[in-house]
Amino acid sequence: MEVAKLTDVTRVYKIGELETRALNGVSITINDGEFTSLVGPSGSGKTTLLQLIGCLDQPTSGKVIINGKETTNLNRNQRADLRKEAIGFVFQFFALIPTLTAYENVEMPLLLNGKSPAERKQRVMELLAAVDVANRAHHRPDQLSGGQQQRIAVARALATNPKLILADEPTANLDTENGKQVMDLMQKLNKETGVTFVFATHDPRVISYANRVVTLQDGLITNDSKA
Amino acid sequence: MMNYFKMAYRNLGRHRRRTFLSTLALAMGTALLMFIAAFFQGEMRSSMETTLRLNTGHLQVKNANYDPDKLSVAWEYLIENPEQVAAQIEALGQVQSATPRLLASGIVSASDESVGVQIMGIVPDSSANDPYRDGLVSGDFLTADDREGIVIGYPLAESLGLNVGDQLNLLVNTSEGNVDEQKFTVRGIFSTGTTSYDKGVVFLPLAKAQSFSGATNHASMIFILLKDREQADVVAAAIQGEGYKVETWRELNELLVLVNDFSNAYLTIINLIILGVTATVIVNTLLMSVFERTREIGILSAIGMKGRQIIALFLAEATLLALSGITFGSLIGWALSAYFSKVGVYFGDLGMSKDMLLNDRIYTELTLDSAINLIVTAFIITIIASLYPARMASRMEPVEALHGAQ
Ligand SMILES: Nc1ncnc2c1ncn2[C@@H]1O[C@H](COP(=O)(O)OP(=O)(O)O)[C@@H](O)[C@H]1O
Ligand SMILES: [Mg+2]
């Protein structure tokens, strides 16, 4: 089944007179259960592509279909709803809310989805255990290591059982050991639950985890290979 | 709902100093407003009560020809047999007291100095004269049959160096248009607490004033106090008569009534200015907060928080700021008002005209009504002002918001 399907997508950034073609006619289909790596040099359009798949941004032209649903004409609120229900995000920086504890950060998407307190509690504890930070549940991000923070971010992305998780250079700010832990975790979740992952990276060790590698160059897909 | 407040509370805790300062600004604004409101209210009430009690009463019955500016005691301007008229009026149920008064202009001199005064002939026993009787600082009040006694105000006694028992010379403009003069002995010295009134009036028993000025069996007015001043129109209608005019306190104090009404508008403007300033402080705090938290707003938006939820988050912060600032400020404002309602604020003689008498000391007066009004207004203005930064946060594109962090 297709989780995401992009057809002839372009994204042009305009800053004053200056136009940057971050994506220049990209078509790609992400299937259920894939563990896909987006690779390419810095500036090739990886982040832009993830943002379009994730409905954080809208293409200048082309179509973005998520879970069979055309998203190009959705308004802000409808896109927020779609993200809330169907997509999880992991960012390069450890994007936790600094005033909330690990527990509360993971709970946030469940709150937004209107889950009951009992459901929330059970799910959060389950997730924190799965990413191995259950004993840090009531710590704030600044009391946690980068690896722990990123694992909590993964837990948060998984909270509402989305079909698709998008990760933008999730290990770029981690040391080798912690980077490995996070990748092992994502791979394990992919195998056990079948959740689809797309992650951008230019770290060869990370690429080796992928079962599909999509290469971007100057806003175009130059190679798409399945392992 | 609870979660917005939880997050808001923690966000405010991130910058304790800033939170404290903006809370303080709001608190000071609220306290100041409350005090100003209490002060105005006290001032307006005092000036109304003082003016009615000392100067105009609730109703006055005069000869239809009477001209208050002339203080003339020519018969054509006066009421004949005033005791009879007063007694009839006093028989009315709504009337507390009705008493004749004769007003004449005169000059008091003692040693080398002389001062122009209003001579008031009064029926000493009438309860309408309680403010003077109760205000005696030395000596005794007049008796009806006293032929040589006079009661004067404290500021006048001071400026002429007069004590009880001293003699003064009084000159009067008579009914025939001449002047007459006679020595009087100071029986008592009074103070009503309103210097501008006390310094310009001297009291004689009505009978003496009548014979001295040539008014004989006439008086300038029947001075009437009612049990309830709102009954003035009803009572006025009941005592209309040929050749008389009846004036109510509203007609007699047009200026004061106007100032009173206007003072509310004036107070509203002051409120809006002060609240505008404090709201700016709050808006500023929230704006800083929005700019600092662009990235967080981006994250929240990315995980599906909608615009109105982001607005709610910032409004929750504004609400907490408003609640603590306004509560704190109300307590201070209330304490200040309570203190000065006992002690008063001394202004001395502001040199007001007789149309608008003011006690030398103004006592603040905070009504529950105006306090609640203020608290609600302050709260609403703060929240409305906070909508601007809150909406700004809600309109950030998640990508833009996340971008700043990369
Ligand atoms: N918000 C933006 N405004 C202007 N230009 C942008 C913006 N985001 C990305 N770009 C430009 O688009 C191109 C692709 O960027 P990006 O998708 O971030 O690449 P990558 O993630 O592969 O490094 C780059 O040239 C970048 O400078
Ligand atoms: Mg990138």
Side-chain angles (χ1 to χ4, degrees):
Chain A
M1 209 205 113
E2 294 165 355
V3 180
K5 184 179 166 75
L6 278 67
T7 315
D8 200 18
V9 163
T10 62
R11 177 65 168 100
V12 182
Y13 292 111
K14 264 195 196 142
I15 301 175
E17 296 286 283
L18 193 75
E19 281 195 1
T20 310
R21 252 169 206 278
L23 291 178
N24 195 7
V26 166
S27 297
I28 184 173
T29 302
I30 308 287
N31 293 303
D32 205 9
E34 278 180 359
F35 200 69
T36 304
S37 175
L38 293 178
V39 303
S42 184
S44 56
K46 304 184 292 295
T47 297
T48 304
L49 183 55
L50 283 180
Q51 285 173 344
L52 290 177
I53 299 173
C55 294
L56 288 172
D57 191 15
Q58 289 185 297
T60 311
S61 68
K63 271 207 290 197
V64 177
I65 294 168
I66 304 295
N67 291 333
K69 190 172 177 186
E70 165 79 79
T71 67
T72 344
N73 297 319
L74 298 183
N75 66 24
R76 288 174 65 109
N77 276 338
Q78 291 167 323
R79 278 186 285 139
D81 275 333
L82 182 71
R83 291 196 295 271
K84 187 173 80 182
E85 286 150 19
I87 305 166
F89 292 93
V90 179
F91 299 97
Q92 173 181 347
F93 58 93
F94 316 129
L96 300 179
I97 304 298
T99 46
L100 300 182
T101 63
Y103 183 99
E104 290 161 344
N105 265 286
V106 178
E107 190 185 26
M108 182 58 78
L110 297 167
L111 273 171
L112 291 176
N113 275 284
K115 298 282 187 255
S116 75
E119 268 179 296
R120 295 200 305 259
K121 181 157 192 207
Q122 197 203 333
R123 181 77 180 135
V124 174
M125 290 319 291
E126 182 183 302
L127 285 160
L128 288 177
V131 301
D132 202 20
V133 284
N135 58 344
R136 291 282 186 276
H138 299 293
H139 288 60
R140 301 261 175 101
D142 59 7
Q143 300 165 318
L144 298 167
S145 74
Q148 288 169 331
Q149 288 186 53
Q150 198 62 312
R151 296 206 303 271
I152 292 162
V154 173
R156 182 181 64 192
L158 285 164
T160 57
N161 281 320
K163 282 230 179 74
L164 177 61
I165 292 184
L166 305 172
D168 194 359
E169 313 213 19
T171 62
N173 287 331
L174 295 176
D175 59 30
T176 314
E177 179 51 31
N178 276 303
K180 185 173 173 321
Q181 275 187 23
V182 168
M183 288 314 297
D184 286 343
L185 172 66
M186 295 208 287
Q187 190 177 47
K188 181 166 148 252
L189 292 166
N190 170 256
K191 289 207 168 116
E192 285 174 2
T193 66
V195 57
T196 312
F197 275 91
V198 180
F199 51 95
T201 187
H202 41 230
D203 181 347
R205 279 169 308 199
V206 173
I207 299 168
S208 66
Y209 282 86
N211 55 29
R212 177 181 174 191
V213 178
V214 176
T215 310
L216 279 169
Q217 181 90 50
D218 295 330
L220 285 169
I221 291 177
T222 54
N223 191 24
D224 187 346
S225 58
K226 288 188 183 148
Chain B
M1 189 66 187
M2 253 355 269
N3 288 282
Y4 292 130
F5 282 100
K6 183 170 77 186
M7 286 181 79
Y9 177 74
R10 292 190 192 165
N11 279 322
L12 289 172
R14 263 152 111 172
H15 296 279
R16 297 232 167 91
R17 222 169 99 101
R18 189 204 289 166
T19 303
F20 175 74
L21 289 177
S22 37
T23 308
L24 192 67
L26 190 52
M28 306 258 277
T30 311
L32 186 62
L33 282 181
M34 218 166 246
F35 184 71
I36 292 176
F39 183 81
F40 259 75
Q41 204 139 6
E43 179 191 345
M44 283 325 299
R45 196 173 118 149
S46 155
S47 90
M48 188 62 91
E49 282 183 355
T50 307
T51 307
L52 297 194
R53 203 165 45 98
L54 298 181
N55 198 38
T56 67
H58 296 144
L59 285 173
Q60 292 181 1
V61 179
K62 293 174 190 146
N63 188 306
N65 299 322
Y66 185 80
D67 179 353
D69 295 330
K70 284 192 191 150
L71 277 186
S72 169
V73 285
W75 289 7
E76 61 192 287
Y77 295 127
L78 303 181
I79 297 178
E80 206 175 348
N81 292 326
E83 277 97 344
Q84 256 178 330
V85 183
Q88 278 172 17
I89 293 170
E90 211 166 32
L92 293 172
Q94 300 98 322
V95 175
Q96 189 189 315
S97 66
T99 183
R101 284 184 175 174
L102 179 67
L103 306 183
S105 66
I107 295 171
V108 172
S109 39
S111 15
D112 295 339
E113 288 189 73
S114 36
V115 178
V117 292
Q118 182 184 77
I119 301 167
M120 200 188 288
I122 57 172
V123 177
D125 288 347
S126 170
S127 65
N129 300 316
D130 285 350
Y132 318 115
R133 195 187 346 264
D134 297 346
L136 280 179
V137 291
S138 57
D140 297 309
F141 206 57
L142 298 166
T143 52
D145 55 0
D146 196 340
R147 287 293 174 268
E148 268 123 41
I150 190 167
V151 164
I152 64 175
Y154 180 73
L156 186 66
E158 278 278 275
S159 68
L160 296 177
L162 289 168
N163 288 311
V164 173
D166 290 352
Q167 284 210 320
L168 57 74
N169 195 56
L170 184 60
L171 203 117
V172 68
N173 290 307
T174 66
S175 301
E176 287 81 36
N178 304 321
V179 289
D180 200 351
E181 75 182 297
Q182 189 185 318
K183 287 208 181 324
F184 287 88
T185 304
V186 177
R187 300 273 189 244
I189 297 173
F190 73 93
S191 165
T192 61
T194 302
T195 304
S196 51
Y197 184 82
D198 296 351
K199 70 184 180 191
V201 65
V202 299
F203 295 111
L204 296 177
L206 180 64
K208 178 62 194 175
Q210 286 171 329
S211 59
F212 183 36
S213 66
T216 63
N217 63 336
H218 292 80
S220 307
M221 68 167 82
I222 312 296
F223 178 93
I224 303 167
L225 290 176
L226 302 175
K227 288 169 184 156
D228 172 8
R229 74 183 187 203
E230 296 308 325
Q231 294 293 311
D233 289 323
V234 179
V235 180
I239 56 183
Q240 295 295 345
E242 193 67 25
Y244 295 130
K245 64 178 168 193
V246 183
E247 292 167 302
T248 66
W249 60 274
R250 281 185 203 281
E251 293 157 349
L252 293 163
N253 294 293
E254 274 175 352
L255 178 66
L256 189 56
V257 170
L258 197 74
V259 170
N260 205 351
D261 292 348
F262 189 66
S263 79
N264 288 329
Y266 187 52
L267 199 56
T268 307
I269 292 171
I270 295 184
N271 282 359
L272 290 180
I273 292 173
I274 296 181
L275 285 177
V277 173
T278 50
T280 311
V281 175
I282 303 287
V283 169
N284 201 41
T285 303
L286 289 180
L287 272 182
M288 276 198 253
S289 192
V290 170
F291 289 131
E292 279 167 5
R293 299 205 322 251
T294 343
R295 174 166 144 184
E296 265 170 73
I297 296 165
I299 297 167
L300 290 170
S301 169
I303 65 176
M305 204 180 235
K306 287 188 197 158
R308 64 182 160 74
Q309 293 171 309
I310 292 171
I311 290 181
L313 191 57
F314 281 89
L315 286 189
E317 273 181 49
T319 305
L320 290 182
L321 280 177
L323 281 179
S324 52
I326 292 170
T327 307
F328 186 40
S330 305
L331 287 177
I332 298 174
W334 172 79
L336 280 176
S337 309
Y339 178 74
F340 286 104
S341 73
K342 296 267 183 306
V343 176
V345 187
Y346 186 77
F347 278 90
D349 179 13
L350 290 177
M352 307 281 262
S353 74
K354 273 243 184 107
D355 295 335
M356 216 177 118
L357 293 173
L358 207 53
N359 206 287
D360 292 356
R361 196 172 271 281
I362 291 170
Y363 296 88
T364 53
E365 182 184 319
L366 186 65
T367 59
L368 190 63
D369 246 23
S370 68
I372 289 175
N373 216 323
L374 237 157
I375 289 170
V376 172
T377 314
F379 193 79
I380 291 175
I381 289 193
T382 310
I383 299 301
I384 288 177
S386 310
L387 274 174
Y388 168 66
R391 286 182 71 95
M392 188 151 155
S394 77
R395 283 181 180 173
M396 286 180 168
E397 288 290 338
V399 194
E400 302 286 321
L402 289 171
H403 212 73
Q406 287 175 11

